[in-house]
RNA sequence: UGUCCCAUGGUGUAAUGGUAACACUCCGGUUUUUGGUACCGUCAUUCAAGGUUCGAGUCCUUGUGGGACAACCA
């Protein structure tokens, strides 16, 4: 066995460089820092796999930290949902942390900055401050409160903390450089007054720290060695470092922020705000609608954690803009499901087929394997009789030789059963086929070992015995958007690209053994795709989600 | 009329100055009681122009194209 070494990505290069430059390996520590203001999506999954993957690669701890500094948007239910999603992906965090745990420390450090003359209370309106801030191409100017005395700043900040002021009256700003090329360095806001209860600290605090003031200091408090975030935070790095400079102790690990490109997946949106709009406008039934690319939606759809991890791993990590084709994700999904899903028969678009030379009241119990490749997965019993259902599209009165399925005068094999020959069909007044007639070769039973059963027949169909068929609801999903990149159009809003046919609900005919499936279980409907049992299932009705179709080369030939 | 980031097949990544590699997709083929799976094969001289070098996808310069930055959001 040759030990094929997977090449490093640039993130791993950064870490190994640091290790080579004197960072002790036992100081390595990472974190995944979501804001609990919504559900995690496939984009977060990439970040989770990156950070926790690093933890696994270097065998070092990873914290799950909630960046909960804005009580106006955050809720405890999101904390629970995020924890569930991370666990479902198969990762274990070292410490469960909250930025809100550091409010006191952050406050004390802010006092320190005020005393150093590096922070001040500004009492202007946000409009006035915005006007002074300049633009990316024009420098800002100093505001009138910039040179308040330390005593006055201390008193005002204390008042803010005590709830003496309303929202918007005063804020605390870092005193850096209003002329900096970097807008974020133009005296960024550190604290604002928010009169809202926090999901963890209740009404203890009237002031809340901003992201920039919180993030690096939280990394430092947790002694995170490497703090990875997406590219749009690149301009924040200078501020991250400036804030760290104010408080860092040289004996401790100084966290390093580095940025990677977020992953964009075709035919979907990966933005909490946009996903929320789909929920609000009832385009989908909720955050866990199987069409949603939230982790909870993918889970309900039947995606496996392994498929998501393998996907994240295979697309790697980079710094350039990207649009990863959904095919990549579906490849890894099929790859995993192919290994773990038992095979069954279910007819999605049933039409009755009568085997005219089969005894009227006879029912045979046939054996069907659960896996073509792996006999150890066992067998199940499938009833066979004179009247069965097959897929409507599997029969044509006449067809060219590329059509391997049932046609008049030609033979096909019924999976795990007999070889039949098309004899004709019955049509209604409009010419629609209502019933197909066929004859069977009694010596051709699958597994009988007879010469007839061994015959090479090009086509094999799945089927279900009509009398024993189990009607089930099947939800067929298609892409949520009709274009690969719905949210990059300059003129049109992404909502204009919503696919109106992303859901089709049908009643299908399943083999009776399927009534024993449990919620969440995935099976392969042979020749049709992978399907999982939805939680909407009741004692009376089984509900399936189509997780993904099989690859279908016939669809291309036929088109 | 600023600062910063990015540029390798249709897609995503690799090549760490020395033969452009891997996966997906597409197309073609072999096997198959799933038109599935598995297996095999075809598909790029690296945005452009200069420069450094024995040698450049990689380093330098200048273009070109794309992106980020002006929330009391994260």
């Amino acid at each position: 066995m040759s030990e094929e070494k997977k090449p490093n990505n640039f993130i791993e290069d950064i870490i190994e460089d640091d290790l080579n430059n004197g960072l002790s390996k036992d100081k390595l520590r990472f974190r995944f820092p979501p804001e609990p203001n919504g559900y995690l999506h496939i984009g977060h999954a990439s970040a989770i796999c990156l950070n926790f993957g690093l933890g696994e690669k270097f065998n070092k701890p990873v914290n799950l930290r909630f960046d909960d500094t804005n009580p106006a948007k955050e809720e405890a239910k999101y904390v629970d949902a995020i924890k569930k999603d991370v666990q479902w992906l198969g990762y274990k965090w070292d410490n469960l942390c909250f930025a809100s745990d550091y409010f006191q420390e952050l406050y004390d450090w802010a006092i320190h900055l005020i005393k150093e003359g590096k922070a001040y209370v500004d009492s202007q309106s946000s409009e006035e401050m915005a006007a002074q801030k300049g633009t990316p191409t024009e420098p800002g100017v100093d505001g009138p409160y910039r040179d308040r005395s330390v005593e006055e700043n201390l008193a005002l900040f204390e008042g803010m903390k005590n709830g003496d002021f309303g929202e918007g009256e005063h804020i605390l700003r870092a005193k850096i450089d209003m002329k900096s090329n970097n807008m974020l360095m133009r005296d960024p806001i550190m604290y604002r007054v928010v009169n809202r209860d926090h999901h963890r600290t209740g009404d203890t605090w009237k002031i809340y720290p901003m992201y920039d003031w919180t993030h690096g200091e939280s990394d430092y408090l947790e002694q995170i060695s490497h703090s990875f975030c997406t590219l749009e935070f690149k301009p924040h790095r200078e501020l991250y470092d400036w804030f760290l400079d104010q408080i860092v102790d040289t004996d401790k690990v100084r966290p390093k922020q580095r940025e990677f490109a977020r992953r964009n997946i075709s035919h979907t949106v990966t933005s909490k705000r946009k996903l929320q709009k789909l929920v609000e406008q009832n385009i989908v039934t909720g955050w866990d609608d199987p069409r949603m690319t939230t982790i909870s939606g993918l889970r309900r759809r039947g995606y496996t954690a392994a498929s998501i991890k393998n996907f994240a791993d295979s697309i790697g990590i980079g710094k350039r803009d990207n649009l990863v084709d959904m095919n990549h994700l579906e490849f890894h999904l099929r790859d995993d499901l192919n290994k773990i899903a038992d095979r069954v028969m279910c007819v999605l678009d049933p039409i009755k087929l009568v085997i005219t030379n089969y005894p009227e009241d006879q029912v045979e119990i046939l054996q069907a394997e659960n896996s073509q490749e792996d006999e150890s997965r066992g067998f199940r019993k499938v009833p066979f009789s004179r009247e069965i259902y097959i897929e409507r599209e599997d029969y044509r009165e006449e067809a060219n030789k590329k059509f391997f399925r049932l046609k008049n005068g030609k033979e096909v094999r019924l999976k795990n059963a007999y070889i039949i020959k098309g004899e004709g069909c019955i049509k209604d007044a409009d010419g629609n086929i209502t019933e197909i007639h066929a004859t069977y070769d009694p010596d051709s039973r699958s597994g009988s070992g007879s010469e007839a059963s061994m015959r090479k027949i090009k086509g094999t169909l799945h089927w279900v015995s009509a009398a024993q068929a189990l009607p089930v609801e099947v939800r067929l999903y298609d892409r949520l958007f009709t274009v690969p990149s719905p949210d990059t159009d300059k003129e049109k809003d992404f909502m204009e690209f919503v696919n109106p046919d992303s859901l089709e609900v049908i009643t299908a005919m399943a083999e009776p053994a399927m009534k024993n499936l449990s919620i969440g279980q995935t099976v392969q409907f042979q020749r049709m795709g992978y399907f999982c049992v939805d939680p909407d299932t009741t004692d009376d009705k089984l509900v399936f989600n189509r997780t993904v179709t099989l690859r279908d080369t016939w669809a291309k030939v036929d088109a």
Side-chain angles (χ1 to χ4, degrees):
Chain A
M1 282 277 272
S2 66
E3 186 108 339
E4 197 64 26
K5 203 180 158 227
K6 206 177 166 237
N8 274 356
N9 58 45
F10 82 98
I11 293 283
E12 292 161 341
D13 282 342
I14 288 168
I15 295 169
E16 287 189 352
D17 280 352
D18 288 338
L19 256 19
N20 293 334
N21 289 325
L23 177 68
S24 153
K25 193 177 176 195
D26 56 282
K27 301 284 194 213
L28 247 32
R29 182 180 278 272
F30 311 102
R31 109 265 92 116
F32 172 64
E35 182 187 15
N37 68 340
Y39 293 85
L40 260 27
H41 54 64
I42 183 74
H44 295 108
S46 262
I48 291 168
C49 292
L50 172 70
N51 285 296
F52 282 92
L54 253 16
E56 286 176 353
K57 172 171 173 142
F58 293 98
N59 193 25
K60 287 293 170 286
V62 184
N63 288 352
L64 173 62
R65 179 170 75 232
F66 289 93
D67 235 328
D68 56 348
T69 58
N70 185 0
K73 289 188 174 177
E74 296 147 7
E75 294 180 46
K77 69 171 181 182
Y78 296 127
V79 171
D80 296 335
I82 289 168
K83 284 160 69 177
K84 179 180 173 181
D85 287 347
V86 174
Q87 282 170 325
W88 178 74
L89 281 171
Y91 293 115
K92 282 197 172 66
W93 51 82
D94 184 45
N95 296 128
L96 180 65
C97 307
F98 294 84
S100 52
D101 287 343
Y102 313 136
F103 282 171
Q104 185 61 46
E105 187 77 54
L106 257 10
Y107 177 79
D108 293 342
W109 274 331
I111 298 287
H112 169 71
L113 257 67
I114 293 173
K115 287 179 177 167
E116 296 269 298
K118 288 177 173 169
Y120 64 98
V121 173
D122 199 330
S123 310
Q124 304 180 87
S125 67
S126 60
E127 292 75 21
E128 287 170 312
M129 283 187 275
Q132 287 153 11
K133 201 164 186 182
T135 69
T137 56
E138 296 164 52
V141 295
D142 293 353
Y145 298 100
R146 200 169 193 267
D147 291 314
R148 275 222 255 238
S149 70
V150 169
E151 293 67 31
E152 195 180 358
N153 284 324
L154 251 15
L156 253 11
F157 188 48
E158 170 91 19
M160 284 168 64
K161 181 194 178 221
N162 292 340
D164 299 342
F165 305 113
E167 292 184 10
E169 286 186 55
H170 306 283
I171 52 142
L172 185 74
R173 303 177 77 171
K175 192 171 179 177
I176 307 180
D177 179 8
M178 290 302 290
K179 295 178 185 60
S180 172
N181 279 322
N182 185 346
M183 296 288 290
L184 288 155
M185 299 299 278
R186 323 242 261 226
D187 290 9
I189 297 172
M190 294 172 66
Y191 275 95
R192 78 291 210 188
V193 172
V194 181
N195 287 316
R196 288 269 208 140
D197 279 4
H198 185 279
H199 66 99
R200 294 187 76 245
T201 62
D203 62 359
T204 306
W205 294 88
K206 311 296 178 195
I207 54 172
Y208 291 90
M210 300 289 285
Y211 165 84
D212 287 297
W213 173 235
T214 308
H215 205 92
E217 321 306 87
S218 301
D219 286 339
Y220 177 69
L221 285 166
E222 292 172 21
Q223 285 289 281
I224 301 300
S225 60
H226 298 266
S227 181
F228 297 111
C229 57
T230 48
L231 237 32
E232 66 266 30
F233 287 94
K234 177 72 205 290
H236 292 249
R237 189 152 110 194
E238 193 180 357
L239 220 207
Y240 180 99
D241 284 329
W242 190 91
F243 278 138
L244 241 27
D245 285 339
Q246 311 312 313
I247 53 106
V248 80
D249 178 337
T250 49
D251 293 340
K252 291 189 164 179
V253 172
R254 181 189 170 108
K256 175 181 273 192
Q257 174 185 307
R258 288 297 180 271
E259 311 80 15
F260 60 89
R262 66 165 61 240
R263 312 316 317 215
N264 301 301
I265 316 291
S266 76
H267 302 279
T268 187
V269 289
T270 41
S271 138
K272 274 184 202 165
R273 208 199 91 241
K274 288 171 185 159
L275 291 168
Q276 183 161 27
K277 203 165 169 186
L278 296 169
V279 175
E280 282 168 358
Q281 301 201 6
N282 294 316
I283 304 292
V284 296
T285 57
W287 285 94
D288 69 341
D289 186 292
R291 289 165 290 180
M292 293 280 273
T293 40
T294 50
I295 294 179
S296 48
L298 293 169
R299 179 167 57 228
R300 185 169 170 190
R301 173 81 169 251
Y303 276 75
T304 60
S307 67
I308 292 173
K309 284 205 262 191
N310 291 343
F311 167 71
D313 198 42
S314 82
I315 61 175
I317 206 77
K319 293 178 80 169
R320 37 185 149 140
D321 293 340
N322 59 81
L323 183 64
V324 184
D325 200 296
M326 183 76 91
N327 281 325
H328 269 282
L329 221 201
E330 292 185 342
F331 166 79
H332 288 287
L333 177 61
R334 291 189 183 104
D335 190 47
D336 193 35
L337 258 19
N338 177 49
K339 287 180 269 188
I340 61 177
D342 280 348
R343 269 103 243 241
V344 296
M345 293 195 286
C346 181
V347 179
L348 299 184
D349 185 14
I351 184 165
K352 187 171 283 186
L353 181 145
V354 180
I355 300 163
T356 54
N357 61 336
Y358 192 89
E360 293 229 14
D361 295 319
Q362 183 170 317
V363 176
E364 274 181 84
I365 303 300
L366 304 175
Q367 289 272 312
E369 73 284 356
N370 292 328
S371 165
Q372 178 103 250
E373 281 83 25
D374 181 7
E375 279 204 1
S376 72
R377 297 262 283 271
F379 296 80
R380 62 188 191 286
K381 293 178 175 15
V382 185
F384 181 81
S385 65
R386 176 182 166 94
E387 296 194 355
I388 62 173
Y389 292 115
I390 65 167
E391 297 289 343
R392 187 171 290 276
E393 63 170 16
D394 281 344
Y395 172 74
R396 287 181 191 175
E397 291 179 82
E398 294 172 22
N400 65 27
K401 59 180 182 296
K402 282 192 170 178
F403 186 81
F404 308 155
R405 308 175 182 193
L406 186 63
K407 53 192 170 189
N408 293 340
K410 292 289 181 188
E411 289 188 316
V412 292
R413 185 187 301 276
L414 293 175
K415 179 76 180 170
N416 298 124
Y418 294 93
I419 295 169
I420 60 169
K421 186 197 280 186
E423 301 291 354
C425 60
I426 296 175
K427 296 179 186 171
D428 65 14
D430 300 324
N432 301 310
I433 297 171
T434 55
E435 190 173 293
I436 301 163
H437 288 178
T439 51
Y440 85 121
D441 176 351
D443 294 327
S444 66
R445 201 186 80 228
S446 292
S448 66
S450 70
E451 211 168 295
S453 72
M454 315 280 245
R455 278 155 54 203
K456 292 282 176 206
I457 300 289
K458 191 68 179 169
T460 301
L461 307 186
H462 62 284
W463 54 273
V464 174
S465 175
Q468 293 81 12
L470 181 70
V472 297
E473 176 176 321
V474 178
R475 299 171 180 175
L476 306 174
Y477 302 106
D478 199 356
R479 325 232 119 133
L480 244 188
F481 293 93
T482 55
V483 295
S485 187
D487 52 0
T488 55
D489 193 282
K490 292 277 195 294
E491 272 104 52
K492 293 186 179 176
D493 185 73
F494 76 101
M495 292 298 280
E496 293 186 45
F497 298 108
V498 167
N499 177 7
D501 303 315
S502 60
L503 171 62
E504 184 187 353
V505 181
I506 60 171
T507 298
M509 291 298 178
E511 58 173 271
M514 281 166 62
K515 66 176 181 297
N516 297 320
L517 295 176
S518 48
I519 286 171
Q521 202 173 343
T522 298
V523 289
Q524 186 197 87
F525 291 180
Q526 288 177 106
R527 304 208 302 136
M528 293 287 112
Y530 295 96
F531 296 74
C532 71
V533 183
D534 189 83
D536 284 350
T537 292
T538 62
D539 290 343
D540 306 325
K541 188 175 69 171
L542 215 44
V543 178
F544 284 94
N545 296 312
R546 181 171 68 195
T547 306
V548 66
T549 61
L550 260 26
R551 279 182 70 228
D552 188 356
T553 45
W554 162 245
K556 289 168 196 157
V557 174
D558 196 37

